[in-house]
Amino acid sequence: MNLAGTPWYRRLHWQILAAMALGAATGAIWGEPAAERVGWLGTLFIRLLRMVVVPLVICSIVSGVASVGAGGGIGRLFGKTFGYYLLSSLCAVLVGLAVVNVIRPGVGADLGAAATKELPPDLRTATSVPDLLLDIVPQNVVDAAARADMLAVIFFTLLFGLAAGALPDEHRRPLVAFFEAAFQAMMKLTGWVIALAPIGVFGLMTRAVASFGLGAFQPMAWYMATILVALLVHFVVVLPLLLRFLGGIHPLIHLRNMSEALVLAFSTSSSAATLPVTLRAVEQRVGVSNRVTSFVLPMGATVNMDGTALYECAGVLFIAQALGIDLSLGQQAVVVLTAVLASIGAAAVPSAGLVIIFIVLEAVGLRGPQVEVIVGLMLAVDRPLDMLRTSVNVYSDSCGAAIIARSEGEVQVDAEFRK
Ligand code: ASP
């Protein structure tokens, strides 16, 4: 769409930013009552996004995979996709490790006064590699789709797409045509939902700001600043370097093309809820083909979480520092590895990253009441950090899609800023 003549205040990303500021001000000034009055607008918006996720992902994957055909480079795409996920998550964890070791926010932190016993919600996550693998294979596809169990849905859909692509022309063509048309319809529907983003974001921000646990902020200030710095380093330095050197892409162009999706990731704190917006932005603005996005993005939303991986590592080291425990190099290596694995297992919903921190803590033997008290404090201040790590999670997926598309010869990717 050419919006060259549109005044700035009618452009969606400005409207969303204005809604964020307005929501933050409303939440800060009116507090809880405002959260109750307008919070439902945010819930409504997230429900609309969730409504489109499953059908959008199914149509996108089947049309993408089946149109490539059985032998058409699927294995290569898989390899590149997982190679990128691993590389970017590992870089993120190492950034977290380095920043926490430099700032050392936990050393000497007096957390006793602010202690709460609040524990994170009980989100079910796989805790071992075999569990993770078993979770991916659905026993009942309809049930998996009904629970929006994305990895299971993706697994089946990929296989279905491959099977469809392997059929003789007479069967393959109508199937691909159907899913392609359904995919276009879902994209259109997603566009309609996105047009409501300013209203939804207003509700989400009002509620988020009104319910921040301000009491715990002060003793946790260093911890929060450390995570913020580490996430920023990954967002502003590492991912742009990957874009530049692996994809030959100008990072600022990619950033501008992804602005709407990033703002929505920030306000929803959920990569899964943002997925429809990410898919649309990467296809229509970054210019990546459905063949590549259908591989990299839906899976990336659950598997590739750079922000979460970084957070797991930094959070565990913070806890160890606060307890006065020096982790050996070997133990830090265990933290690095389990942080990557835990981020793969984390659900793409708010606070999931904090819940799975217990997996990493367990891996280095950190447990007990003191640990729980600190995790309770981390929970009290988690929302703003969750917003930031979700944006980093989504950004890493879009960078991956752009890099892989370029490597597949898609020269139009991020060639310009598209509105
Ligand atoms: N909220 C994050 C996401 O959806 C996961 C996390 O809590 O780290 O990407």
Side-chain angles (χ1 to χ4, degrees):
M1 188 175 21
N2 181 11
L3 290 179
T6 318
W8 65 272
Y9 55 86
R10 295 202 45 203
R11 294 189 187 163
L12 193 61
H13 58 276
W14 285 114
Q15 292 180 349
I16 298 176
L17 282 176
M20 273 175 100
L22 205 63
T26 311
I29 296 170
W30 281 289
E32 276 303 323
E36 266 168 41
R37 291 251 167 86
V38 298
W40 67 274
L41 290 170
T43 311
L44 182 72
F45 179 59
I46 295 221
R47 287 182 84 119
L48 286 168
L49 284 172
R50 289 198 173 280
M51 174 184 86
V52 294
V53 166
V54 173
L56 177 67
V57 165
I58 290 177
C59 299
S60 157
I61 295 182
V62 176
S63 59
V65 175
S67 61
V68 181
I74 295 278
R76 195 182 59 232
L77 260 184
F78 247 129
K80 285 183 188 174
T81 304
F82 279 94
Y84 173 81
Y85 289 168
L86 213 59
L87 174 72
S88 68
S89 300
L90 212 56
C91 289
V93 177
L94 293 177
V95 169
L97 185 74
V99 173
V100 180
N101 275 316
V102 170
I103 302 186
R104 301 179 73 75
V107 175
D110 179 16
L111 304 176
T116 64
K117 268 283 181 191
E118 201 181 347
L119 278 180
D122 187 22
L123 290 181
R124 199 192 62 90
T125 27
T127 48
S128 67
V129 176
D131 275 354
L132 193 62
L133 286 178
L134 286 178
D135 263 6
I136 292 176
V137 184
Q139 304 196 56
N140 177 337
V141 186
V142 179
D143 174 58
R147 286 185 294 109
D149 182 350
M150 291 319 287
L151 281 188
V153 170
I154 291 168
F155 180 76
F156 171 78
T157 316
L158 274 176
L159 289 182
F160 181 79
L162 283 175
L167 292 175
D169 261 8
E170 111 197 68
H171 294 311
R172 188 175 58 85
R173 280 227 190 90
L175 211 52
V176 172
F178 170 80
F179 277 100
E180 241 161 40
F183 176 56
Q184 291 309 326
M186 285 313 302
M187 290 287 261
K188 178 96 131 179
L189 180 49
T190 306
W192 293 341
V193 175
I194 295 175
L196 298 175
I199 299 172
V201 165
F202 170 68
L204 289 168
M205 283 306 285
T206 304
R207 191 169 47 204
V209 171
S211 49
F212 282 163
L214 284 175
F217 268 43
Q218 212 197 344
M220 297 297 273
W222 268 119
Y223 153 78
M224 295 178 75
T226 309
I227 304 276
L228 174 75
V229 169
L231 287 172
L232 272 180
V233 169
H234 192 65
F235 188 88
V236 180
V237 181
V238 178
L239 289 175
L241 282 176
L242 293 181
L243 272 176
R244 199 9 130 219
F245 291 108
L246 297 182
I249 291 166
H250 196 305
L252 276 182
I253 296 184
H254 186 74
L255 182 67
R256 290 187 72 190
N257 280 332
M258 287 306 295
S259 54
E260 260 158 44
L262 290 175
V263 178
L264 281 173
F266 184 80
S267 14
T268 60
S269 276
S270 165
S271 308
T274 313
L275 180 56
V277 189
T278 318
L279 261 168
R280 199 163 174 273
V282 173
E283 292 212 3
Q284 297 188 348
R285 295 180 61 181
V286 177
V288 176
S289 69
N290 182 41
R291 174 177 168 269
V292 172
T293 53
S294 66
F295 249 88
V296 184
L297 296 181
M299 217 159 12
T302 359
V303 168
N304 182 43
M305 295 194 178
D306 289 14
T308 306
L310 179 157
Y311 177 77
E312 299 311 311
C313 176
V316 168
L317 288 174
F318 165 74
I319 294 177
Q321 288 173 358
L323 295 175
I325 298 171
D326 247 337
L327 294 180
S328 66
L329 267 186
Q331 281 174 311
Q332 299 206 12
V334 171
V335 171
V336 166
L337 282 182
T338 37
V340 174
L341 286 179
S343 73
I344 293 174
V349 297
S351 284
L354 187 59
V355 176
I356 51 156
I357 206 164
F358 286 108
I359 301 177
V360 189
L361 287 167
E362 224 14 83
V364 283
L366 287 173
R367 58 177 84 90
Q370 275 179 309
V371 170
E372 284 176 12
V373 166
I374 301 178
V375 175
L377 276 177
M378 289 161 76
L379 176 67
V381 297
D382 192 50
R383 187 64 188 200
L385 298 179
D386 193 6
M387 295 162 111
L388 290 168
R389 60 179 189 257
T390 308
S391 311
V392 174
N393 290 347
V394 167
Y395 197 52
S396 171
D397 293 342
S398 72
C399 290
I403 290 170
I404 292 170
R406 275 280 178 106
S407 80
E408 291 281 305
E410 296 183 16
V411 285
Q412 79 288 0
V413 167
D414 277 329
E416 57 177 340
F417 169 52
R418 297 187 188 89
K419 291 195 195 308

